[in-house]
Amino acid sequence: MIQTYLAQIYEPPADSHKGVNGRTLIIGGSDLFHAASQWSFQVISRIVDMTFYSSVAENNEIIQEAKIGIQDGVVVRRLDLSNYLQEADSVLLGPGMRRDFRSRFKLEKMSSLRWEDLNELDWEFDTQAVTAVVLKHFPDKHWVIDAGALQVVRPSWLPPNSVLTPHQRELADLTKRLSPSLANFADQLKEVQSELGVRAFGKEQSLEPVLVERKDLNKFLPSDLADLMLAVSVKLNNANLIIKGQADLIWNNQQIVAVVGGNAGMAKGGTGDVLAGLVAGLAAKSEPFASAVVGSYLCKLAGHQLYTQSRAMYNTSDLVNQLPLSWANLKSSVNKT
C-alpha cells in the first residue's frame, strides 16, 4: 500500500521557518541540454525551502532569469559550490550533463582528484571528472544520480544509500561495469516490467498507479533474479535503484517493489528529469527508498490525471504543474481511508 511509504515522507510543520524543510542542490545542465535540469529545478523548488542550482555559465544565466517568482532559488557559481554542498541535505547530480565528455584526466586518476582540481575542469565536457570529485568529497549527502552523471559514474565512487535512476540501457551499462556476468541483467528486468505492464494494463490506455509489493511480485519475478537484484544493490554500495518503465522497479539491498502505471504521454522527453527532481526533493528530509517509491507513484499519478483531461496531449511542463495538484489528491485520498 502506498500509505506505508507516504507515512515515511516528511510533512512540513505548521510553525515552519525558512530552511527547516530541506535544502537541495542540483548539479546539472550544459550548453547542449538546457531544459532537463530546469524541469528538475521547478519540481524541487515546490518541495524544499531552499533550492540551489549549479551549472555551466550559460545555464546559470538562464535559470537566473527564469527563477523570478520562485522564492529561495539560489544560482551557485562553481567557485562557491563547496559551501552549498555542505549546506544541502540532498543533491541531484546529472540531469542535462553531457555524455560526450573529453577530459585530460585519465579514468584511473579520477578517484584521486582533489577538490581544487574542479577549478581546472571544463564542466561542459568533464562530466566524469566532476562526478568523481563531488561524490568523493561529500559522501554523506542524500545523492540522486541521474542521466549524464549516471552514464559515466564508476560503481566504486558511489556514496552509500544513493538513489540511481537508470533507464534500461543505462542500467545495462552500469551493471556491466560491475561484472561481465551481469550482461543480461537489464534484459531480464525488462521482461519482468513488460509482463507486469501487460497484466496490469490489458486494453487500458492509462492506468492510475498501482503499488505491487514483494510478496505479490513472486508470479512475475523469479526468486533467483530477486536475489540478484538485492546483490546488485549491495555491490553498488547499498544503492536504491529505480529502473523506469511502464512498471517502475524500485529496490535496494533489502526491499523490492513495483509501481505500475502511466500512459503514452509519459514517454515524452523530460519526464525522467521530473522524476529525478521529485525524488531528490523528497529525499532532502526523508529516507531515500521511501522517497523513490513515493516519487515514482506521484509522477505516474500526475501523468494519469493529465491523461484523463487531455489524453496524451500534454508535455513535461504540464507534468511539473500537475504534481502539486496530484500530491494534494493523493494526501486527501489517503487521509480518507
Side-chain angles (χ1 to χ4, degrees):
M1 297 287 286
I2 190 60
Q3 291 93 324
T4 301
Y5 300 96
L6 200 59
Q8 300 173 46
I9 298 300
Y10 173 84
E11 185 76 20
D15 61 348
S16 296
H17 59 272
K18 185 166 66 176
V20 73
N21 298 313
R23 300 174 174 89
T24 299
L25 169 67
I26 305 165
I27 303 173
S30 62
D31 291 347
L32 181 62
F33 301 114
H34 295 296
S37 56
Q38 293 179 53
W39 282 318
S40 301
F41 179 94
Q42 292 172 34
V43 174
I44 292 168
S45 67
R46 287 165 161 86
I47 300 172
V48 300
D49 286 353
M50 300 290 288
T51 308
F52 309 134
Y53 179 89
S54 186
S55 185
V56 297
E58 181 177 335
N59 258 20
N60 276 353
E61 291 172 6
I62 291 172
I63 276 285
Q64 186 70 54
E65 294 174 2
K67 79 183 186 70
I68 297 172
I70 301 176
Q71 290 185 330
D72 302 316
V74 177
V75 177
V76 177
R77 300 180 307 160
R78 293 177 211 159
L79 293 176
D80 300 325
L81 184 59
S82 177
N83 294 333
Y84 286 93
L85 271 165
Q86 291 178 45
E87 190 174 346
D89 300 299
S90 62
V91 187
L92 172 58
L93 174 65
M97 294 177 82
R98 280 183 180 265
R99 286 74 155 171
D100 54 334
F101 62 94
R102 54 176 178 262
S103 177
R104 64 185 181 83
F105 296 106
K106 293 183 178 180
L107 179 60
E108 60 270 18
K109 298 290 186 181
M110 288 189 183
S111 60
S112 60
L113 289 176
R114 303 166 303 160
W115 183 261
E116 293 76 18
D117 291 323
L118 277 179
N119 297 328
E120 302 177 30
L121 300 179
D122 178 357
W123 280 45
E124 184 67 26
F125 293 100
D126 276 334
T127 297
Q128 192 168 47
V130 170
T131 298
V133 172
V134 297
L135 293 179
K136 173 186 175 182
H137 286 86
F138 290 89
D140 58 336
K141 302 299 175 180
H142 281 178
W143 285 93
V144 178
I145 304 172
D146 182 54
L150 184 59
Q151 293 180 22
V152 299
V153 72
R154 314 313 290 182
S156 61
W157 301 348
L158 292 172
N161 210 26
S162 301
V163 179
L164 312 180
T165 60
H167 53 58
Q168 203 258 345
R169 187 181 70 253
E170 289 170 338
L171 180 66
D173 291 342
L174 180 64
T175 51
K176 284 177 188 175
R177 290 174 221 152
L178 278 176
S179 171
S181 66
L182 294 170
N184 297 323
F185 177 68
D187 288 335
Q188 291 176 284
L189 293 189
K190 186 177 181 180
E191 291 180 11
V192 174
Q193 289 176 292
S194 297
E195 189 173 352
L196 276 165
V198 169
R199 183 71 63 90
F201 275 82
K203 296 183 179 180
E204 297 292 326
Q205 294 298 309
S206 186
L207 182 70
E208 187 168 348
V210 176
L211 178 68
V212 186
E213 297 194 85
R214 178 70 186 95
K215 58 184 173 56
D216 298 314
L217 280 173
N218 289 332
K219 64 185 75 172
F220 305 100
L221 186 61
S223 59
D224 58 340
L225 181 55
D227 290 342
L228 184 56
M229 292 170 71
L230 303 181
V232 165
S233 170
V234 171
K235 291 180 179 180
L236 295 171
N237 207 0
N238 299 324
N240 305 273
L241 294 100
I242 310 172
I243 179 169
K244 297 170 286 192
Q246 199 174 47
D248 289 353
L249 289 175
I250 307 165
W251 78 96
N252 60 15
N253 60 343
Q254 295 180 323
Q255 308 170 77
I256 303 172
V257 301
V259 179
V260 186
N263 52 71
M266 297 290 285
K268 293 185 174 72
T271 56
D273 303 303
V274 171
L275 174 62
L278 187 53
V279 175
L282 294 173
K285 297 293 287 186
S286 304
E287 285 303 307
F289 188 78
S291 299
V293 174
V294 172
S296 169
Y297 190 97
L298 182 58
C299 201
K300 287 182 180 293
L301 178 62
H304 172 69
Q305 292 177 338
L306 283 169
Y307 190 91
T308 63
Q309 302 165 29
S310 56
R311 310 295 284 181
M313 193 175 286
Y314 63 89
N315 61 24
T316 303
S317 295
D318 295 327
L319 185 66
V320 171
N321 292 329
Q322 178 64 32
L323 284 172
L325 302 175
S326 299
W327 177 251
N329 294 156
L330 178 58
K331 295 288 287 185
S332 177
S333 64
V334 167
N335 289 338
K336 290 177 182 178
T337 58

